[in-house]
Amino acid sequence: MDGKFTAQSFAQAKRKKEKITMLTAYDYSMAKIIDGGGIDAILVGDSLGMVMQGHDSTLEVTMDDMVYHCRCVSRGAKRALVVGDMPFLSYHVSAEEAVRNAGRLIQEGGAGAVKLEGGKIMADTVRAIVRAQIPVMGHIGLTPQSVNVFGGFKVQGREEARAKALIEDALALEEAGVFSIVLEAVPKELAQVITEKVGVPTIGIGAGRCCDGQILVIHDILGMYSDFTPRFVRQYAHLKETITGAVAGYVQDVREQRFPEEKHTFSMDASVLEKL
Ligand code: KIV
């Protein structure tokens, strides 16, 4: 699709059966590269708590963290829609607080939409944010902010009751006005059923090919995060090895005085030097 990708473009893509492409980014330089690579939407995910901040989960991420990273990414993204993730506790206390925090991601962070985790129980909150004219993306299945309830990062929806509950969650989110729904770590068959039942596009991560689009964490596809690699990730580069090699080369060059070379230096007039 040509031109700026917006929340409306998601619906258009589903109608035309064009797959939607999404990646995460957390800073200006990466956002600019990804945007130039033709991605449709960039999620400033709270996964930054793990890949940027080094925590074991996403629960430590604050609103101020999200606003800061959204602002950096927004400066780099020209065509892609920037979606700001709502961190843990920023939308759970009250709908009023949720609207205010979603508004910060738009007003201060420059995002064009927000994402929040949860199904049916979040429907009223979604409605309140949508009423404030802010496009909302839902997120169900393995929702990392619920890691303590799930007892770990586990596939969701293999059993009948949970699968039915996830279908109801998707329908409730659609009814509440989301423009899209992320399906994370659910069986591919369930993702297909949900994708066929809802009118809004589904974006899969570990949810098979039948979703209307796909999203992955940028550090995972570039091979930069080695603490944990989910089974659903495909690595398109191995930057950890590339960066380690570059650092080792620099260290060796400095120690052995091969860097800097003459061309990397500045010089001053000899007459000035004499007076020093
Ligand atoms: O925070 C994140 O990066 C996400 C995606 C993995 C969907 O929520």
Side-chain angles (χ1 to χ4, degrees), residues 222-233:
L222 296 181
M224 289 173 74
Y225 181 73
S226 53
D227 291 6
F228 169 66
T229 306
R231 157 198 174 120
F232 50 74
V233 167

Side-chain angles (χ1 to χ4, degrees), residues 24 26 43 45-47 85 115 139 182 184 205 215 217:
T24 66
Y26 316 101
L43 173 69
D46 65 352
S47 49
D85 218 357
K115 175 172 87 57
H139 182 168
V182 170
E184 179 163 354
I205 172 163
I215 181 165
V217 169

Side-chain angles (χ1 to χ4, degrees), residues 27-46:
D27 67 88
Y28 166 78
S29 299
M30 190 63 84
K32 196 169 174 184
I33 294 170
I34 293 175
D35 190 69
I39 204 78
D40 295 323
I42 298 177
L43 173 69
V44 186
D46 65 352

Side-chain angles (χ1 to χ4, degrees), residues 13-256:
K14 179 154 182 153
R15 264 198 311 278
K16 292 186 179 169
K17 296 190 182 347
E18 289 172 359
K19 294 284 185 187
I20 299 161
T21 59
M22 283 189 78
L23 281 169
T24 66
Y26 316 101
D27 67 88
Y28 166 78
S29 299
M30 190 63 84
K32 196 169 174 184
I33 294 170
I34 293 175
D35 190 69
I39 204 78
D40 295 323
I42 298 177
L43 173 69
V44 186
D46 65 352
S47 49
L48 70 84
M50 298 171 82
V51 300
M52 299 293 286
Q53 298 176 335
H55 295 298
D56 290 339
S57 77
T58 59
L59 299 178
E60 290 86 351
V61 178
T62 66
M63 265 311 295
D64 286 344
D65 292 336
M66 293 310 306
V67 168
Y68 169 79
H69 286 280
C70 277
R71 208 184 287 140
C72 299
V73 167
S74 301
R75 289 189 201 112
K78 297 291 172 244
R79 175 187 171 268
L81 172 70
V82 175
V83 182
D85 218 357
M86 298 201 62
F88 180 57
L89 276 193
S90 68
Y91 55 100
H92 303 80
V93 178
S94 70
E96 190 181 321
E97 221 174 285
V99 173
R100 208 172 295 286
N101 283 324
R104 283 192 68 195
L105 295 179
I106 305 291
Q107 199 168 47
E108 298 172 48
V114 301
K115 175 172 87 57
L116 56 79
E117 297 182 7
K120 236 178 182 173
I121 55 165
M122 284 300 157
D124 285 341
T125 306
V126 169
R127 252 179 233 112
I129 300 173
V130 170
R131 254 199 313 273
Q133 308 302 303
I134 298 171
V136 180
M137 176 178 271
H139 182 168
I140 57 173
L142 169 51
T143 44
Q145 291 172 16
S146 307
V147 63
N148 290 323
V149 175
F150 294 155
F153 297 108
K154 295 176 182 166
V155 176
Q156 299 293 309
R158 279 195 167 127
E159 321 73 29
E160 184 183 334
R162 180 78 179 118
K164 283 184 171 162
L166 284 170
I167 294 170
E168 281 178 23
D169 281 339
L171 291 169
L173 286 174
E174 179 180 25
E175 204 268 324
V178 298
F179 70 94
S180 175
I181 303 170
V182 170
L183 302 179
E184 179 163 354
V186 297
K188 58 183 186 302
E189 298 86 351
L190 175 60
Q192 181 169 4
V193 171
I194 294 175
T195 301
E196 286 165 3
K197 276 186 187 287
V198 296
V200 294
T202 57
I203 307 296
I205 172 163
R209 286 191 191 158
C210 289
C211 295
D212 299 303
Q214 297 290 328
I215 181 165
L216 283 174
V217 169
I218 188 69
H219 287 61
D220 287 337
I221 73 158
L222 296 181
M224 289 173 74
Y225 181 73
S226 53
D227 291 6
F228 169 66
T229 306
R231 157 198 174 120
F232 50 74
V233 167
R234 178 182 283 174
Q235 284 189 350
Y236 288 85
H238 303 281
L239 292 197
K240 185 183 161 205
E241 286 76 16
T242 306
I243 294 169
T244 306
V247 171
Y250 170 73
V251 167
Q252 211 173 353
D253 282 353
V254 170
R255 287 194 180 139
E256 293 169 15

